[in-house]
Every structure is written in C-alpha cells, then in structure tokens.
Amino acid sequence: MKEDLKDTVDIQIVAFPQEGMYMYKGGLELVEEALKMGADVVGGIPHYEPAREFGEKSVHDIVKLALKYDKMIDVHCDETDDPHSRFVELLNGLVYMEDYGTRTTASHTCSFGSADDSSAFRMLDIFQKTKMNFIA
C-alpha cells in the first residue's frame, strides 16, 4: 500500500508499543522485530510503563534502536498533567548527546505545561539546541 500510494500520500509505519514496551514480556523484542520488518519510526510511551525506571529504560532503548536501525523517533511523552512526569527531558537530553533531535518528535507532551518556570526555561534551552520536534 505504501508503494502504491507514494505519489498521493506519505505513509510512515511506527513500531509503537501501545501499552508500553515493558508492560508485557518481550515488548522490546516486538518493537525491534517491527523495525527489522521495515517500520519507519521507533515509537514509545514511557509514562505507561509499570514504574518510572521502566519508562526511563524505554526512552534509552528507543534512542538505541533508532540509532541502530537509522530510524526516526516519535514518543508519546508525558501525556499527563503530572509535572513530575519528565520523560521529555530525558528524551531531549539523549537526542542532544547523539545529535538526533531533527529526527525526533515528542508528542502529547501535556506535562510540560505543568512544569515550573525554572525547569521549563532550562528544557527550552536544550530544545532549541536539539531542534527536536515538539507537539503539545
């Protein structure tokens, strides 16, 4: 279908673990298998993981997979009003270190609107440096 419609529409397939990469055994492997099968983008949803540490691990793994397979990144990041949900900060820092910001999108970033001014200001500075796509 992607090939048939290429003159009409751009279709991107996202390897997206809808319930979280670590909410079930083998989730990471399924995402990687989708990339091997030709998915265009590595997706994630760290705030759905069973604990904060698993959310952080998923963000690290998303970036590693994107680099390994030369894929774009699209993370539903902090889709909550909880100002302590700060996975977008981690994602931004990791893509900054890898110079991968222009190939990265953080979407559904609701908690950023609840961040205190000092945290938001610091993060905005790094967002400008990474040029990461940011969808509120």
Side-chain angles (χ1 to χ4, degrees):
M1 178 201 270
K2 193 173 171 178
E3 184 62 28
D4 292 343
L5 297 174
K6 70 180 180 183
D7 295 330
T8 307
V9 65
D10 290 327
I11 297 175
Q12 294 176 329
I13 308 290
V14 181
F16 187 79
Q18 182 63 44
E19 302 300 320
M21 196 177 296
Y22 296 103
M23 285 301 291
Y24 48 92
K25 192 172 185 153
L28 172 64
E29 292 78 12
L30 288 172
V31 171
E32 186 164 15
E33 183 63 26
L35 296 170
K36 289 177 183 176
M37 293 173 68
D40 304 295
V41 183
V42 185
I45 189 163
H47 59 280
Y48 270 30
E49 300 295 354
R52 176 166 186 78
E53 292 79 8
F54 287 101
E56 291 173 1
K57 181 172 173 37
S58 75
V59 173
H60 282 275
D61 288 339
I62 289 161
V63 173
K64 285 179 191 171
L65 287 170
L67 293 169
K68 180 178 180 179
Y69 292 98
D70 191 30
K71 302 294 184 177
M72 294 179 288
I73 297 170
D74 188 347
V75 180
H76 291 203
C77 218
D78 306 329
E79 192 175 359
T80 173
D81 289 332
D82 179 0
H84 300 291
S85 188
R86 307 261 298 262
F87 296 111
V88 71
E89 179 180 31
L90 176 59
L91 178 63
N92 196 37
L94 291 172
V95 300
Y96 175 73
M97 298 302 294
E98 297 294 342
D99 193 26
Y100 216 71
T102 59
R103 299 193 67 198
T104 302
T105 299
S107 53
H108 305 285
T109 55
C110 303
S111 74
F112 188 72
S114 300
D116 63 78
D117 289 346
S118 62
S119 296
F121 181 77
R122 186 175 52 76
M123 285 192 279
L124 282 170
D125 180 53
I126 299 173
F127 288 140
Q128 290 174 343
K129 291 175 181 171
T130 63
K131 295 181 176 46
M132 182 172 81
N133 302 291
F134 189 87
I135 303 168

